[in-house]
mmCIF file of all heavy atoms in Angstrom:
data_model
loop_
_atom_site.group_PDB
_atom_site.id
_atom_site.type_symbol
_atom_site.label_atom_id
_atom_site.label_comp_id
_atom_site.label_asym_id
_atom_site.label_seq_id
_atom_site.Cartn_x
_atom_site.Cartn_y
_atom_site.Cartn_z
ATOM 1 N N PHE A 8 7.820 6.330 -12.500
ATOM 2 C CA PHE A 8 8.212 7.494 -11.715
ATOM 3 C C PHE A 8 9.690 7.376 -11.388
ATOM 4 O O PHE A 8 10.159 6.322 -10.988
ATOM 5 C CB PHE A 8 7.432 7.572 -10.400
ATOM 6 C CG PHE A 8 5.949 7.671 -10.586
ATOM 7 C CD1 PHE A 8 5.147 6.579 -10.375
ATOM 8 C CD2 PHE A 8 5.372 8.855 -10.983
ATOM 9 C CE1 PHE A 8 3.770 6.650 -10.560
ATOM 10 C CE2 PHE A 8 4.008 8.950 -11.170
ATOM 11 C CZ PHE A 8 3.209 7.847 -10.954
ATOM 12 N N ALA A 9 10.403 8.456 -11.549
ATOM 13 C CA ALA A 9 11.829 8.476 -11.223
ATOM 14 C C ALA A 9 12.152 9.791 -10.528
ATOM 15 O O ALA A 9 11.486 10.805 -10.752
ATOM 16 C CB ALA A 9 12.662 8.332 -12.490
ATOM 17 N N GLY A 10 13.162 9.770 -9.693
ATOM 18 C CA GLY A 10 13.573 10.979 -9.001
ATOM 19 C C GLY A 10 14.411 10.629 -7.794
ATOM 20 O O GLY A 10 14.593 9.460 -7.457
ATOM 21 N N PRO A 11 14.920 11.653 -7.127
ATOM 22 C CA PRO A 11 15.764 11.422 -5.956
ATOM 23 C C PRO A 11 14.987 10.801 -4.793
ATOM 24 O O PRO A 11 13.763 10.863 -4.740
ATOM 25 C CB PRO A 11 16.278 12.816 -5.592
ATOM 26 C CG PRO A 11 15.491 13.782 -6.367
ATOM 27 C CD PRO A 11 14.780 13.067 -7.451
ATOM 28 N N SER A 12 15.720 10.229 -3.872
ATOM 29 C CA SER A 12 15.117 9.612 -2.684
ATOM 30 C C SER A 12 14.371 10.650 -1.845
ATOM 31 O O SER A 12 14.784 11.797 -1.750
ATOM 32 C CB SER A 12 16.208 8.991 -1.811
ATOM 33 O OG SER A 12 16.848 7.957 -2.497
ATOM 34 N N GLY A 13 13.269 10.183 -1.266
ATOM 35 C CA GLY A 13 12.570 11.004 -0.291
ATOM 36 C C GLY A 13 11.614 12.042 -0.824
ATOM 37 O O GLY A 13 11.140 12.879 -0.062
ATOM 38 N N ILE A 14 11.276 11.999 -2.123
ATOM 39 C CA ILE A 14 10.363 13.025 -2.641
ATOM 40 C C ILE A 14 8.918 12.543 -2.753
ATOM 41 O O ILE A 14 8.056 13.290 -3.164
ATOM 42 C CB ILE A 14 10.833 13.596 -3.995
ATOM 43 C CG1 ILE A 14 10.888 12.519 -5.064
ATOM 44 C CG2 ILE A 14 12.173 14.283 -3.853
ATOM 45 C CD1 ILE A 14 11.059 13.077 -6.469
ATOM 46 N N LYS A 16 7.819 9.351 -4.265
ATOM 47 C CA LYS A 16 7.471 8.485 -5.399
ATOM 48 C C LYS A 16 6.663 7.272 -4.945
ATOM 49 O O LYS A 16 5.628 6.957 -5.528
ATOM 50 C CB LYS A 16 8.728 8.001 -6.137
ATOM 51 C CG LYS A 16 9.564 9.088 -6.758
ATOM 52 C CD LYS A 16 10.803 8.530 -7.426
ATOM 53 C CE LYS A 16 11.707 7.764 -6.508
ATOM 54 N NZ LYS A 16 12.390 8.508 -5.460
ATOM 55 N N GLU A 40 13.601 -1.272 -5.442
ATOM 56 C CA GLU A 40 14.202 -0.948 -4.152
ATOM 57 C C GLU A 40 13.483 -1.549 -2.953
ATOM 58 O O GLU A 40 14.084 -1.750 -1.916
ATOM 59 C CB GLU A 40 14.225 0.573 -3.961
ATOM 60 C CG GLU A 40 15.043 1.300 -4.992
ATOM 61 C CD GLU A 40 14.952 2.811 -4.830
ATOM 62 O OE1 GLU A 40 14.074 3.287 -4.089
ATOM 63 O OE2 GLU A 40 15.764 3.510 -5.442
#
Side-chain angles (χ1 to χ4, degrees):
F8 300 104
S12 296
I14 62 168
K16 298 178 301 293
E40 298 176 347

